[in-house]
Amino acid sequence: MLLVGWHAGAAPGVSRWWGLPGALFAAGIPLAYVLRGVRTGRLTDHHIPEREHRRVPLLFGIASVTVGLVALIVLGAPREVLALLAAGGTGLLVFTAVTHWWKMSIHAGVAAGTAATLTALYGPAALLSLPLVLLACWARIRLSAHTPAQVVAGAIVGALIAATVFPALSGS
């Protein structure tokens, strides 16, 4: 989100810091909700390993992204920041629907989606981020948080959503 905001700020008269409120609504507020759930004992840890406990935090994340998207539209945020929030919200909707039956890796989806978004914005040089995607995927398997199939599916879904929704809405 910060790199997208920075890219959007390259246009004259646009702040490079629009990614900060986007990051707050997409990650900061949902993470605070999850950490509060851990502190109160409703959730076992911030990774929410139990598939059946993921639905409410994911719905909260969707609500946070939606409120953020509306607020940033009203405030006149750049199109690229809005497109990334919309792509992230789309990803949350898909992962929330799938979570009812299967625990697809959201970490892998975000990592792959980030690489796809950065590639849409910065071109082939952003493909240098792919080792970080592989590292995130390896870590989810190594920690026994997901099966290889859950990680691969998450990465594919995240990359496909980012590679279609973000460019379509941002004009990139």
Side-chain angles (χ1 to χ4, degrees):
M1 186 60 76
L2 298 178
L3 290 174
V4 171
W6 193 259
H7 185 271
V14 177
S15 170
R16 290 195 179 269
W17 300 106
W18 275 108
L20 285 174
L24 176 69
F25 285 102
I29 292 170
L31 179 60
Y33 176 84
V34 168
L35 293 176
R36 185 168 188 264
V38 172
R39 274 195 310 275
T40 61
R42 285 183 295 115
L43 301 171
T44 55
D45 74 48
H46 69 284
H47 290 291
I48 315 174
E50 300 84 8
R51 184 185 47 79
E52 59 276 5
H53 293 160
R54 293 175 130 203
R55 173 171 274 163
V56 173
L58 286 170
L59 290 173
F60 183 87
I62 292 168
S64 180
V65 167
T66 302
V67 168
L69 191 54
V70 170
L72 290 178
I73 288 169
V74 169
L75 293 171
R79 186 174 176 180
E80 291 173 341
V81 171
L82 300 175
L84 184 54
L85 271 176
T90 302
L92 280 171
L93 287 169
V94 170
F95 279 87
T96 300
V98 171
T99 291
H100 182 71
W101 296 279
W102 199 44
K103 193 178 140 191
M104 199 165 39
S105 176
I106 297 169
H107 286 89
V110 170
T114 299
T117 300
L118 293 176
T119 302
L121 280 181
Y122 294 102
L127 292 172
L128 293 172
S129 64
L130 289 180
L132 296 174
V133 175
L134 295 174
L135 181 62
C137 292
W138 170 82
R140 301 311 294 159
I141 294 167
R142 178 79 170 116
L143 293 170
S144 299
H146 294 283
T147 66
Q150 292 167 333
V151 169
V152 169
I156 290 170
V157 168
L160 285 175
I161 290 170
T164 55
V165 175
F166 177 76
L169 297 178
S170 70
S172 293

